[in-house]
Amino acid sequence: MRKILFILLIPFTAFAQQVVITGQLPDSPDSVDVFVYKPIGTYFNAQYKQSLAKVSEHHFKLVVPMTTPGFITVENKYVRSVLFVEPGDYVDIGISRDGSQGRKLYKGNNAAGHELFNNETPLAENNITTTMEHVLDTAKTVNGALWGMRNTLSELKGPLLVYLRKGEISVGFYENMVTTLEGRLLFHFLTAVGNRLDKPDTRKNKALTEKEMKQLLQDAVDLFDPFDLKYTSSPAANDLVTTKCYLLRKGYLRSPAPMTDFWLHFDESSRLYAYAPSSLLEMNAGNEFVAYLTTRPVQKGSQPALFDYFRFNFPKSAYLPVVEELMTRKAK
């Protein structure tokens, strides 16, 4: 009896360890690759892509191994979707042709939430940027600017809460997308304040002094710290860390001494991350290493030495097999 039960459970268990994504791309020719960016360990991945399917008769099907929930990006020239998925999920992506050219339509798990985050809605990146610019262009006090940011967050979370109560999105989806929304809004808020400190003459709103602008930054990161580990699995992860490191280096935020010893092994552009805490060291270094191997020119002979240094510090890192594969590709 136990053997029979075990055999019956195999198909279900196998299905639960993967995510299936299908799509219809009316503009895509056949044999075009569809790429997937899946998490590296628990960290959001925006650089290491894998070709897991090809378009056939304007359709594609991806079977993505997933043992834990996380964000994946599905992308080619004709479509791009950032999806929070859980093992066992099914998502279908379509393109509307009825009065909304290019709008993405979703079916399957958490479809309503995917539509909200992947189309032109108030939660879209460019709309959040505009909203945060407006908050800072109209605020008369530090508290007024902080209230504007927090009130915006509360308003943007509203549709997600409605979907959750109606059972149209899962609890896991809701919690992770709220964290993502919070990180997205925080990034654009900090960036907008930093730009005003960098170029004070271009500011429309002169109500806040430089000292108050710096206090506003400090208060904002005290409320929502970009170095909080809860953001490391969300699409805003790298932007948040980079932005806070920049603000620390500029002296706009209070800072402990940077960890220069570790980062001296990397090139100058990467040493900004010396201002981040040790809890983010693996993610920052791993992402920089992947960036070297995928998008940046690197001095010949430096990759193996840097890889050995990274492996020595993180012998069990999820980045190691990814980096090894990328280095093998480059060597061919």
Side-chain angles (χ1 to χ4, degrees):
M1 181 67 183
R2 292 177 65 183
K3 279 187 177 181
I4 294 173
L5 182 61
F6 176 75
I7 292 169
L8 289 173
L9 285 174
I10 289 175
F12 176 78
T13 304
F15 177 77
Q17 300 300 304
Q18 64 189 30
V19 171
V20 177
I21 301 170
T22 58
Q24 296 80 46
L25 306 180
D27 295 331
S28 178
D30 282 355
S31 301
V32 173
D33 286 315
V34 181
F35 296 101
V36 171
Y37 301 73
K38 56 178 290 190
I40 299 177
T42 59
Y43 302 120
F44 181 76
N45 163 39
Q47 297 171 106
Y48 171 61
K49 65 181 180 180
Q50 298 170 285
S51 175
L52 296 185
K54 290 185 182 291
V55 177
S56 176
E57 297 182 349
H58 306 297
H59 289 74
F60 69 86
K61 180 179 179 180
L62 297 164
V63 178
V64 186
M66 293 282 288
T67 57
T68 58
F71 285 90
I72 64 173
T73 303
V74 178
E75 176 183 85
N76 73 2
K77 180 180 177 181
Y78 303 94
V79 68
R80 184 176 189 276
S81 290
V82 179
L83 310 169
F84 175 80
V85 291
E86 300 168 287
D89 275 3
Y90 163 72
V91 181
D92 179 75
I93 307 170
I95 305 295
S96 170
R97 291 301 198 205
D98 183 18
S100 54
Q101 181 77 10
R103 179 176 177 83
K104 292 182 280 288
L105 304 175
Y106 296 86
K107 296 177 183 177
N109 298 91
N110 299 305
H114 293 314
E115 286 200 17
L116 194 62
F117 270 83
N118 285 281
N119 285 300
E120 187 65 21
T121 73
L123 281 68
E125 291 271 4
N126 59 325
N127 291 327
I128 289 179
T129 300
T130 300
T131 303
M132 291 301 94
E133 292 285 345
H134 176 73
V135 165
L136 291 170
D137 285 341
T138 56
K140 303 300 181 186
T141 64
V142 170
N143 285 337
L146 287 173
W147 180 88
M149 179 182 72
R150 299 184 73 175
N151 185 61
T152 301
L153 178 61
S154 179
E155 290 178 351
L156 294 179
K157 284 161 54 176
L160 284 170
L161 189 57
V162 171
Y163 288 147
L164 178 66
R165 288 171 175 165
K166 291 167 67 175
E168 294 184 18
I169 60 175
S170 68
V171 173
F173 184 93
Y174 174 80
E175 291 174 345
N176 279 273
M177 296 313 288
V178 165
T179 298
T180 295
L181 182 59
E182 183 181 291
R184 183 178 287 183
L185 188 145
L186 177 62
F187 164 67
H188 289 291
F189 184 81
L190 296 180
T191 299
V193 178
N195 288 340
R196 284 159 173 74
L197 285 169
D198 285 342
K199 300 176 182 178
D201 294 338
T202 64
R203 280 201 287 142
K204 295 179 182 179
N205 183 8
K206 308 291 185 181
L208 299 178
T209 65
E210 179 181 332
K211 182 178 179 181
E212 287 174 320
M213 296 289 282
K214 290 180 179 178
Q215 185 60 52
L216 176 57
L217 279 178
Q218 194 65 55
D219 289 348
V221 300
D222 287 344
L223 281 171
F224 306 106
D225 185 6
F227 291 161
D228 193 319
L229 295 181
K230 72 179 180 179
Y231 297 120
T232 59
S233 61
S234 81
N238 192 64
D239 288 338
L240 284 171
V241 174
T242 303
T243 300
K244 185 176 179 182
C245 286
Y246 173 79
L247 297 172
L248 288 167
R249 186 173 68 180
K250 292 285 288 188
Y252 298 153
L253 292 170
R254 297 187 291 272
S255 169
M259 301 182 297
T260 52
D261 287 350
F262 178 88
W263 287 101
L264 285 175
H265 290 77
F266 291 75
D267 67 22
E268 186 64 37
S269 65
S270 300
R271 294 175 195 170
L272 179 70
Y273 294 110
Y275 290 88
S278 58
S279 58
L280 293 170
L281 201 54
E282 179 187 0
M283 182 186 78
N284 293 336
N287 285 340
E288 285 300 278
F289 207 160
V290 173
Y292 289 159
L293 293 167
T294 55
T295 61
R296 300 178 191 169
V298 185
Q299 291 182 352
K300 191 174 181 180
S302 64
Q303 292 173 358
L306 192 56
F307 179 58
D308 288 342
Y309 181 68
F310 182 84
R311 182 165 49 189
F312 174 79
N313 283 275
F314 304 104
K316 297 182 180 180
S317 176
Y319 284 93
L320 293 179
V322 171
V323 171
E324 286 176 331
E325 180 187 334
L326 290 171
M327 290 180 69
T328 301
R329 283 190 207 168
K330 283 221 163 187
K332 291 180 178 178

